[in-house]
Amino acid sequence: MSTPSLPSKHKPRRRQNKKEQDSAADSESEHMPRTKPKAHATSLESIEILPRTPLTSRTSRRGQPGRSHDEEELADEVELSLLGEEERRAAASDLTIEEEQAYYAQGDGKKPISARDKRAIVLLIVLYLIQGFPLGLALGSVPFILREHLSYSEIAVFSLAGYPYSLKLLWSPIVDSVFFPSIGRRKSWIIPMQLIIGTIMLTMSYHAEELMSNPGEHLYTLSAAFTSLVFFSATQGWALTLLSEDNLAFASTCQTIGLNTGYLMSYTVFLALNSEDFAKRWGVPRLTLGTYLFFCALMSFSVTVWLLFIKEEKESTSEDISIKAVYTTMWQICKLRHVQILLVVHLLAKVGWQANDAVTQLKMVEKGLGREDLAVTVLIDFPFQIVGGWLAGKWSRGDQPLRPWIYAFWPRLALTLLFTLMVYWFPQPPISAGFFVFLITATIAMSFAATIQFGGISAFHTRISDPVVGGTYMTLLNTFTNLGGTWPRYFVLKGVDLFSVATCQLKDNDLSLKAHECVSEHGKSACAELGGECVTERDGYYIVSAVCLGFGVLSVMFFLIPTARKLQAVPVSKWRIYS
C-alpha cells in the first residue's frame, strides 16, 4: 500500500469559515471521480497543518488547552520547518516589517540579536581591548625598546612576564568558585582586577622614563611590574555570563577583535609613534611610554566605572562550583593516555621556530631595520591573519581536522630557514624597497602558516573535548598549546648570549679583550670607555637557530606528524571521561 505524499510546493491557505468549507466540499464532490477507494483512512488524516504567523493564537485551536512557553516555541519550529520558503512568505504577507523579519528569522532557526546582547558585545570587545594593552607591551614593543640597552640574557629575564597568560589555568577554578553573590560571580573579580591594572599603569607612567633610561639597574622592577600586569589581565573573563545562550558564539569574535586590536595598539602603533625617526619624518610628537601608560590607566578606570552599572542578568548565584571538583576533573583528563601524548606534542611542536619568533626581529632591528618599518610589516600582516583564520576553519572540517596543522609544518620550517638567511645577508641601511617588500611577503607567509596551524589544532580540540566538561577540557588543551610557544623563549634568548663570542679591540695597542656582549648599548659603551671597538666574532643566534631548526625537522619527521595522525584516528569516545 502506498501513501500519498504532500506536494513540494503548495499555496498556504487561510482558515476557512463553515460556509466556505461546505461550498468547497460540494465543489470537490462534483469533480471527484466515482471510483472505488484503494486506500484506507488513517489517523493521519486528522492532522491539520496551517501556516501560522506570530499573530496567530494557538490556544484557540479546536478548543485545545494552551501550552507552556517552551512547548509553544518547539511547536513553532516544527511547523515552520514543514513549510517551504514560499509558504512562509505567504503566511507573513500581512505582517509589519519588524514582525516579518522576526518571523523569517524564526523559520531559518536564527534569532535577531537583542539590544542587551549588542551592549554586551560592545562591553566584551572593550574588556578584551584593555586586556590586550599590557600583552602588547610585555610581549611586543617593550622588548624592542630594551634591546638597545640590554643583552639577550637580560631580555630573557623580562620575557618571563608573558608566562602568567599561559598558566592561567592553574588559578582559573578559584576565579570561577569564589565570589560575592551580592556583586556577581564575574564582577567580584573583574572590577578589582581593572582597578589594580589601572593603578599599576598609572604608577608606572610617572616613572617610565626613569626606568627605561637605565633598564639594566631596574630590570627586575620592570619585569615584576609587567608580570603583574599580565597576571591580573589574565585573571578575568565574563563571556559566559554576559551573553545569552543564543549569542554565546560571539564571545570568540569579541575576543579576536578586542584582544588583537589592543595588542596591535600597544605593539605596532606604539612602536611606530615611539620612534624618533618616525616622529621626525611625519612631523608628529613622539609618544613616550609614560604617556601611553597614562592613557591605558584612564581607559581601565573608565571601564571600571562602566562595570558598576552593568548587571549580571544571567548569573545564577545559587549554583556552587567546587574548586576541588574542577581540579579533580583536570586530573582525570590528564590521566588519559591519549591526552598525555597530545600534551607532549603541544610542548614540542613549536620548538623548531622558537629562535625565529624570539630573536629574528630583534636581530633585524639591530642590523638597521627601523622600528617603524617593523610596525608597518606587522600592520600589513594583520588582515591576512583574518583570511587565514577563515581558511583554517574551512580546511579543518571533516574527520581530519589536523590535516592543515600537519601540512603547515614544512612551510613554517622552510620560512624559519629563510628568515635566518635574511638576517645573515641583511643589507646595510638604507633598506631598498625591493628587500622591504620581500620581507613583508615572507612575514605574511609565516603568519598565514601559523594561523592555519592554530585553526587546525583548535578544530581538533573542539572535536575531542568531552561536552560534559567542555570548558575545562578546552582550557587545559589551549593552555598547553600556549605553553608550547612560551617555555622555550627564555632558553633561546639565554642561548644567544651563551654561544656568542665578542671581543673589545683596543685600537692603540692592538689588544683584544673578551667582552660580555656587543649587542646592547651597555656592552658597546663599556668597550668604548676603554678606547676600543666592540666586535662580535661569533653570533650565537645562528647556532641557536640551527639547533631549533634541526630539532624541529627531526621531531616533525619521526614524532609529531606520525603521532598526530595516530591521535586523529583515535575514536572520539576514547577522549571522553563522562560522555
Side-chain angles (χ1 to χ4, degrees), residues 254-472:
C254 296
Q255 182 179 17
T256 301
I257 296 174
L259 198 61
N260 287 347
T261 303
Y263 187 91
L264 287 175
M265 286 181 61
S266 294
Y267 181 20
T268 305
V269 178
F270 171 73
L271 201 60
L273 296 178
N274 182 255
S275 172
E276 294 182 358
D277 295 336
F278 182 87
K280 293 178 181 179
R281 180 186 303 178
W282 299 101
V284 295
R286 176 176 173 268
L287 179 63
T288 63
L289 179 61
T291 303
Y292 185 73
L293 286 171
F294 186 81
F295 163 76
C296 294
L298 291 182
M299 285 285 293
S300 183
F301 289 138
S302 300
V303 173
T304 304
V305 175
W306 184 9
L307 292 175
L308 295 176
F309 299 95
I310 300 295
K311 181 181 179 182
E312 294 187 49
E313 298 180 15
K314 253 185 66 179
E315 181 58 59
S316 176
T317 55
S318 60
E319 179 182 359
D320 185 18
I321 301 177
S322 171
I323 301 177
K324 181 180 178 181
V326 177
Y327 284 115
T328 302
T329 301
M330 291 182 187
W331 178 245
Q332 290 177 346
I333 296 173
C334 291
K335 289 196 299 183
L336 296 176
R337 177 63 177 170
H338 302 306
V339 172
Q340 294 175 358
I341 297 175
L342 179 60
L343 298 184
V344 174
V345 168
H346 282 323
L347 292 177
L348 300 179
K350 300 179 181 180
V351 174
W353 45 80
Q354 274 304 300
N356 178 71
D357 290 350
V359 189
T360 295
Q361 291 183 337
L362 295 174
K363 278 293 178 181
M364 288 185 177
V365 173
E366 177 186 331
K367 292 202 169 190
L369 180 66
R371 285 188 291 172
E372 63 278 5
D373 296 331
L374 178 63
V376 170
T377 304
V378 177
L379 189 62
I380 295 176
D381 173 56
F382 179 68
F384 292 91
Q385 294 184 21
I386 305 299
V387 176
W390 176 77
L391 290 176
K394 184 178 180 180
W395 293 342
S396 301
R397 295 176 181 175
D399 297 333
Q400 296 181 331
L402 284 179
R403 182 173 52 187
W405 185 79
I406 292 173
Y407 289 165
F409 264 111
W410 296 116
R412 293 193 73 176
L413 292 173
L415 289 169
T416 297
L417 176 61
L418 176 63
F419 274 106
T420 304
L421 296 177
M422 288 174 64
V423 172
Y424 185 80
W425 283 302
F426 200 85
Q428 294 292 331
I431 300 173
S432 64
F435 182 84
F436 188 63
V437 171
F438 180 70
L439 175 61
I440 292 176
T441 304
T443 302
I444 292 174
M446 177 63 99
S447 177
F448 183 81
T451 306
I452 292 298
Q453 280 203 314
F454 178 78
I457 200 65
S458 298
F460 182 68
H461 290 170
T462 304
R463 179 172 177 262
I464 66 176
S465 295
D466 193 330
V468 177
V469 288
T472 302

Side-chain angles (χ1 to χ4, degrees), residues 468-485:
V468 177
V469 288
T472 302
Y473 213 129
M474 288 285 290
T475 305
L476 174 65
L477 297 179
N478 291 334
T479 296
F480 275 85
T481 301
N482 295 332
L483 192 60

